[in-house]
Amino acid sequence: MTDGPGPSDPGTTVPEGSALTAAWRPTAAHVRAVVVGLALLGIGVIMRRPDAVALGAPLAVVAVWAHLRRPEVAPVVHTWLRHGVLREGQTTAWTATVEPGPGVEEVALAVTETEFTRYTPAPQCVADGDVTGATAELDVFCQSTRWGLRRLGPATCAVGSAFGAHVWEPAPVHAPLVPTVPLPEAFSARTPAPDPDGLVGRSRSRHHGDGSELADVRAFRFGDRLRRIHWPVSVRTGDLHVTTTYADEDSEILLLVDAMQDLGRSSGFDGEGSSLDNGVRAAAAVAEHYLRAGDRVGLQVLGAHQSPRLSPGLGTNQLRRLLDVLARVRVADGGVVDEKRLRGQLLHPVSAGTLVVFLTPAVSVSVLAHAAQLSRRGTSTIVVDTLPRAMATGDLTDEQLAGLVPEQAASPSARLAWRLRLLERSREVSRTRLAGVPIVPWVGPGTLDLVMRDIARQRRSPRVVTR
């Protein structure tokens, strides 16, 4: 956390928690009291006007008294932000601690409002208090309502003297961008991934091995473990029989989040979401579910700038890395550079047995074509449609159209253009489904269950693939 350039040392920065520096200066109210009081007293004496003296005397007395009680020592003030990483809807606080000197009577902390944030107290976002000699601590609570890199503040702390005559106000304190990781939506899947191919895990393999699910009872062979003997069958048949189980293996899931477009308007975690909101939150939910189930999960954000590709990994550390990448996703600009970046990202190889999940509004032709190509090669592929339901129809409100074409939101041509785009999208979706790729809308828990059952049945039947 840094402090802006101070009045005494321009261009310097203050590390987080360091004491702020400033100088006491008279306020505009104190200057007005001095000028008006002296002017009225002068007019009353010169022009022999007792009414002017009566009006100016109180102002002069207050100004003299405030000047005699002006602070001589600067207070010790520390200001910092309590958390460096947040989740959607989580609240942190700008905190200021003040050790006042003699003559200090009031202290206040103000925070500037920013997009996708809420502050308490509201609406001025100012916390103030009286100083009675002890250390004062002020808090302004900040809530981040949307994933991404949020700027909270800056925060300004001010200390006042008696009658508000003098103020000690350092430069605003700017905090670094705070990553707000997406809040995973409720998601659960009872159906395991269709092609587990790892060494350990909780997914049932198609091959026999050490596991927990019974596969068969067969005759004893040399090398079988004695604890596998099935005594009821052995006693009934007179020969030793053992039980066999399916191996428990882990699966590999690759999440591909389409960041080429962000359709719709976002109003935070407790309101409507755009297509990118749905994709990011759905990716976080799916990743959290499968990582807690012991599977390996990887991530690639398609079209986004400076979003690294995460190789499949296990555990809570992988979940933290994945959420951090999702928090830094920025929608592509739609230029030639972004199209080239997208083509390069789609060239990354996908290992055999990987379940590839596309989270896309199904508007980009390149993304749908890549999903169909992976399916033809024999890779288990699922496309999750993240387009908001309200935008899947041609009857959009002016506010929704403003999120698509801000310059011509209310024109009839904008509404007609979106209807034509929906027709093209419907055609591309039909082509992708004919290629064998299931496309399902994101509905939270159970979104992938029925689809993965169908994929598992297809994987057990012979099929022709292209190499």
Side-chain angles (χ1 to χ4, degrees):
M1 183 175 301
T2 59
D3 183 13
S8 59
D9 190 9
T12 61
T13 59
V14 179
E16 180 180 358
S18 298
L20 304 181
T21 59
W24 288 100
R25 59 177 178 82
T27 62
H30 180 63
V31 173
R32 285 196 301 268
V34 172
V35 173
V36 175
L38 293 178
L40 289 175
L41 287 177
I43 292 173
V45 172
I46 295 173
M47 302 183 65
R48 298 181 180 180
R49 295 285 301 272
D51 55 343
V53 175
L55 292 175
L59 295 177
V61 170
V62 170
V64 171
W65 182 256
H67 180 73
L68 293 176
R69 293 193 58 187
R70 68 185 184 278
E72 299 291 344
V73 181
V76 180
V77 180
H78 301 264
T79 305
W80 70 93
L81 194 62
R82 288 186 179 269
H83 298 90
V85 179
L86 300 174
R87 277 208 169 190
E88 283 184 304
Q90 184 179 355
T91 300
T92 185
W94 272 100
T95 301
T97 57
V98 181
E99 297 179 10
V104 174
E105 290 191 359
E106 255 187 339
V107 60
L109 176 65
V111 180
T112 304
E113 294 187 5
T114 54
E115 188 180 17
F116 296 114
T117 54
R118 296 174 185 168
Y119 296 94
T120 304
Q124 293 84 10
C125 312
V126 177
D128 56 4
D130 296 330
V131 179
T132 59
T135 301
E137 182 173 309
L138 300 178
D139 289 316
V140 173
F141 297 98
C142 313
Q143 183 185 35
S144 180
T145 61
R146 188 176 186 254
W147 60 270
L149 296 177
R150 302 265 77 83
R151 183 172 296 281
L152 304 179
T156 303
C157 186
V159 180
S161 66
F163 300 106
H166 295 81
V167 65
W168 186 90
E169 185 178 1
V173 179
H174 294 266
L177 295 175
V178 178
T180 302
V181 299
L183 183 65
E185 298 184 5
F187 176 77
S188 61
R190 299 181 179 179
T191 306
D195 288 319
D197 61 348
L199 299 177
V200 294
R202 292 190 291 179
S203 298
R204 197 201 81 174
S205 172
R206 291 179 292 174
H207 309 288
H208 291 184
D210 291 333
S212 57
E213 186 170 346
L214 179 66
D216 195 8
V217 178
R218 59 169 175 80
F220 181 85
R221 299 174 186 171
F222 179 76
D224 289 338
R225 297 182 179 181
L226 296 181
R227 65 183 179 88
R228 290 289 187 181
I229 295 177
H230 194 273
W231 291 108
V233 177
S234 300
V235 171
R236 187 172 66 251
T237 60
D239 296 325
L240 287 178
H241 283 71
V242 295
T243 58
T244 60
T245 57
Y246 291 105
D248 290 335
E249 297 178 338
D250 58 341
S251 302
E252 182 175 315
I253 294 93
L254 177 61
L255 302 176
L256 299 179
V257 180
D258 185 1
M260 291 297 293
Q261 297 93 9
D262 187 13
L263 305 176
R265 291 204 169 192
S266 177
S267 56
F269 73 101
D270 54 354
E272 297 181 358
S274 63
S275 62
L276 192 56
D277 285 343
N278 296 337
V280 168
R281 291 168 186 157
V286 173
E288 185 175 31
H289 170 78
Y290 283 107
L291 285 173
R292 296 192 186 281
D295 295 324
R296 290 170 287 131
V297 179
L299 174 69
Q300 175 69 70
V301 181
L302 302 178
H305 181 53
Q306 294 181 347
S307 289
R309 178 186 176 93
L310 282 183
S311 301
L314 294 166
T316 56
N317 288 335
Q318 178 71 0
L319 179 60
R320 292 193 192 98
R321 288 190 291 266
L322 190 142
L323 292 177
D324 184 69
V325 172
L326 290 176
R328 301 174 186 273
V329 171
R330 297 180 61 183
V331 65
D333 297 330
V336 178
V337 177
D338 295 325
E339 293 291 342
K340 290 183 179 179
R341 185 186 304 115
L342 174 63
R343 288 195 294 268
Q345 291 171 337
L346 296 179
L347 292 177
H348 283 286
V350 178
S351 58
T354 302
L355 173 63
V356 182
V357 180
F358 286 83
L359 299 122
T360 173
V363 174
S364 176
V365 178
S366 301
V367 174
L368 294 179
H370 185 62
Q373 185 179 14
L374 290 177
S375 179
R376 295 190 190 100
R377 293 178 179 176
T379 303
S380 300
T381 306
I382 301 175
V383 173
V384 177
D385 186 4
T386 60
L387 185 70
R389 295 184 180 180
M391 301 198 65
T393 62
D395 299 328
L396 300 183
T397 63
D398 293 341
E399 183 179 0
Q400 292 171 334
L401 283 174
L404 299 174
V405 280
E407 298 83 4
Q408 300 177 349
S411 64
S413 59
R415 198 179 305 275
L416 178 60
W418 177 243
R419 290 179 178 176
L420 293 175
R421 189 65 191 90
L422 287 178
L423 291 176
E424 294 177 357
R425 177 179 180 272
S426 177
R427 181 191 61 187
E428 297 299 332
V429 167
S430 300
R431 286 182 178 179
T432 306
R433 283 177 173 156
L434 290 176
V437 180
I439 301 178
V440 293
W442 175 255
V443 293
T447 299
L448 306 181
D449 280 344
L450 184 59
V451 174
M452 288 199 295
R453 289 195 196 102
D454 295 338
I455 292 178
R457 284 195 293 265
Q458 293 175 3
R459 301 294 290 179
R460 289 192 291 268
S461 61
R463 59 183 303 189
V464 178
V465 299
T466 59
R467 299 294 181 186

